[in-house]
Amino acid sequence: VQLQASGGGLVQPGESLSLSCAASGSVDGFNIMNWYRQAPGKQRELVATITGGGSTNYADSVRGRFTISRDNTKNTVYLQMNSLKPEDTAVYYCNTDRLFYRDSYNFRRRVDDAWGQGTLVTVSS
C-alpha cells in the first residue's frame, strides 16, 4: 500500500499543471489529504488540504490559483495549479493522516501519516 504522486514537469510562468496522487494496493479509503512542497534550501510547507468531507484549505501563497480535489472512488487526490510562478518551483508531496487498506485476511488496517515519493515542478522561462 503506497501513495504515488505524478504530473510534475517544466512549465513557463503563467501556465498550468495538474498533479495526481493515487493510493495503490488494497486501499480502502483515506482521511485528510494534503499537498506539501519543498523548494531547494527551504523547509517543507503545507500547500493545500482536503478533508474526507471535501472541505479545503490553502496556503496564502497559492489561494485562488491552486485547487485541491479528491475522487474517493479512485482513491486519488488532485492538485490543479494555475497561473504558476517561479516561486512555485519545488518538489510536491502528497500526504494523508490516515490510509486504510485490507490485509490478506480482509481485515481493515490503517497506516498513519503516509507520504508519496514527490514529484518535481519547475516553473521557469
Side-chain angles (χ1 to χ4, degrees):
V1 178
Q2 62 180 354
L3 295 176
Q4 185 78 26
S6 63
L10 172 64
V11 296
Q12 294 188 346
E15 293 186 339
S16 299
L17 206 58
S18 181
L19 306 182
S20 298
C21 177
S24 62
S26 302
V27 178
D28 194 25
F30 48 83
N31 193 32
I32 293 172
M33 288 294 293
N34 304 298
W35 281 101
Y36 285 81
R37 68 184 180 186
Q38 187 166 20
K42 296 187 177 181
Q43 289 188 335
R44 189 172 296 187
E45 65 169 334
L46 178 61
V47 174
T49 296
I50 186 165
T51 68
S55 297
T56 59
N57 196 28
Y58 300 92
D60 289 342
S61 58
V62 306
R63 186 174 290 114
R65 299 188 297 121
F66 290 11
T67 302
I68 188 171
S69 61
R70 61 192 289 163
D71 185 338
N72 292 330
T73 64
K74 298 180 179 180
N75 292 312
T76 300
V77 65
Y78 306 95
L79 186 68
Q80 177 64 39
M81 304 183 294
N82 299 327
S83 303
L84 283 162
K85 305 175 181 180
E87 51 263 44
D88 294 318
T89 295
V91 177
Y92 285 72
Y93 299 90
C94 54
N95 160 265
T96 179
D97 66 334
R98 295 179 184 177
L99 176 64
F100 300 94
Y101 68 98
R102 296 284 177 173
D103 66 13
S104 57
Y105 299 99
N106 205 35
F107 291 137
R108 197 171 193 239
R109 303 292 188 186
R110 191 181 83 196
V111 176
D112 293 338
D113 196 28
W115 289 85
Q117 86 288 2
T119 185
L120 176 62
V121 173
T122 304
V123 184
S124 176
S125 55

